[in-house]
Amino acid sequence: MKISVCGKGGSGKSTIVALLANEARARDYRVLVVDSDESNSGLFRMLGFDYPPVPLMELVGGKKSLQQKMAQPSVLSETQIATAHIPEQYLLQKNGLKLVAIGKILQSLEGCACPMGVLSREFLKKLALEADELAIVDMEAGVEHFGRGVETSIDSVLIVVEPPLESVNVGQKIHDLASGIGVKNVWAILNKVPSDEIATRLKTELQERHIEVVGCIYFDADIFRSSLEGRMPAKGVAVREIKDVLERILSRAGLPASG
Ligand SMILES: Nc1ncnc2c1ncn2[C@@H]1O[C@H](COP(=O)(O)OP(=O)(O)OP(=O)(O)O)[C@@H](O)[C@H]1O
Ligand SMILES: [Mg+2]
């Protein structure tokens, strides 16, 4: 399954990606995390790595030569890409968890991020997963990636929704765009929820918009504290709550509870 984690800026996409990735590993799934956010660079630390992978954008010689280089012989010019064929320096591995990054905007005036959208789309399209392998994509904030067609080969979209109404509105837009391009499963997960009352209100808002909610992660002070160091806590409320969420996602997607 290729699942893309989307939502408004700061809603907790990277946090949910890290929680899901760790829980999927604990269930013996092989996990490939794809960092498709061209702005933020801290995901590697949240996943327990000490440094980021070399972005795949380097494999094609940088943004400028992307179009020509995609066609030149490299793993990216293959029609299918198995995780095992991604060259070592582009794929970090630790405790069975793998991480690749598409690319980051590093300089002012270097141009827009469209080539990274193209690379994300092509990489995800060609990525061929084994039955016990999950790809979890940390998407850039907002909806621009839909305009670039990054989700065309994604089978599940998980929308992270936090309490402000604006986050619900962005969630609805993502839901409509994902459903519109035929993504099979589109779900929402509530995040940073401060109380049962707010959880119920958020669920009602989403149900009225015909968006299925697969879980709820309460505001977790351990997560917030750890984010000061850019890390994720190994245990705590959210680590327990994500177990039910992943179980529900796997069951909805028709996958076994463990890999
Ligand atoms: N359940 C939670 N409880 C407490 N804090 C949380 C929770 N989820 C996320 N956070 C905090 O919210 C902040 C934003 O989270 P995160 O970086 O995961 O969001 P994001 O959607 O990936 O942001 P961006 O759009 O910038 O990529 C971080 O400080 C994180 O620790
Ligand atoms: Mg993020």
Side-chain angles (χ1 to χ4, degrees):
M1 172 169 66
K2 295 176 189 172
I3 180 163
S4 132
V5 180
C6 305
K8 192 176 173 309
S11 57
K13 299 175 291 299
S14 303
T15 302
I16 298 295
V17 165
L19 287 168
L20 282 175
N22 291 334
E23 178 56 22
R25 270 307 301 145
R27 288 168 179 265
D28 283 335
Y29 271 97
R30 290 188 285 161
V31 179
L32 173 68
V33 173
V34 181
D35 183 356
S36 183
D37 182 343
E38 67 262 1
S39 302
N40 297 302
S41 50
L43 184 64
F44 72 92
R45 227 176 266 116
M46 293 170 80
L47 292 168
F49 294 103
D50 296 325
Y51 50 87
V54 177
L56 292 175
M57 191 51 87
E58 299 295 313
L59 184 59
V60 286
K63 275 166 49 177
K64 289 213 171 81
S65 55
L66 175 70
Q67 301 294 3
Q68 310 117 18
K69 291 280 179 62
M70 280 290 286
Q72 286 177 17
S74 85
V75 67
L76 293 174
S77 61
E78 306 288 324
T79 47
Q80 289 206 318
I81 303 172
T83 312
H85 295 153
I86 301 172
E88 217 174 275
Q89 68 267 42
Y90 302 97
L91 183 83
L92 293 185
Q93 303 199 41
K94 197 174 188 175
N95 305 326
L97 198 140
K98 302 184 180 75
L99 172 67
V100 293
I102 302 298
K104 303 286 170 194
I105 296 277
L106 299 172
Q107 287 159 3
S108 54
L109 299 178
E110 72 163 67
C112 76
C114 298
M116 294 176 196
V118 172
L119 185 54
S120 280
R121 184 186 66 212
E122 293 306 306
F123 173 72
L124 289 169
K125 208 188 284 174
K126 292 174 177 200
L127 182 64
L129 299 174
E130 303 289 337
D132 63 343
E133 213 175 4
L134 299 181
I136 306 177
V137 187
D138 187 14
M139 208 46 94
E140 63 175 280
V143 295
E144 197 181 344
H145 44 96
F146 282 99
R148 297 176 185 157
V150 177
E151 269 81 3
T152 41
S153 62
I154 289 284
D155 35 11
S156 304
V157 163
L158 183 64
I159 312 162
V160 183
V161 178
E162 59 174 332
L165 182 65
E166 202 46 40
S167 178
V168 178
N169 289 339
V170 171
Q172 166 144 46
K173 209 165 196 178
I174 292 173
H175 173 269
D176 295 349
L177 288 166
S179 308
I181 57 164
V183 174
K184 207 160 53 182
N185 309 303
V186 186
W187 305 297
I189 177 171
L190 313 183
N191 190 34
K192 298 193 219 174
V193 174
S195 66
D196 290 345
E197 186 223 331
I198 301 284
T200 308
R201 284 177 60 185
L202 265 180
K203 269 183 211 155
T204 309
E205 283 283 346
L206 290 160
Q207 271 154 9
E208 280 169 3
R209 294 157 199 248
H210 309 288
I211 304 174
E212 186 187 0
V213 178
V214 283
C216 174
I217 307 292
Y218 281 75
F219 185 89
D220 181 337
D222 287 336
I223 288 192
F224 202 71
R225 211 172 296 115
S226 301
S227 74
L228 270 172
E229 295 130 43
R231 308 240 168 228
M232 283 286 293
K235 46 188 195 284
V237 186
V239 174
R240 288 196 294 278
E241 288 166 338
I242 205 75
K243 290 181 193 296
D244 282 349
V245 180
L246 184 62
E247 195 156 306
R248 226 165 281 141
I249 287 175
L250 291 170
S251 135
R252 300 268 196 295
L255 292 171
S258 53

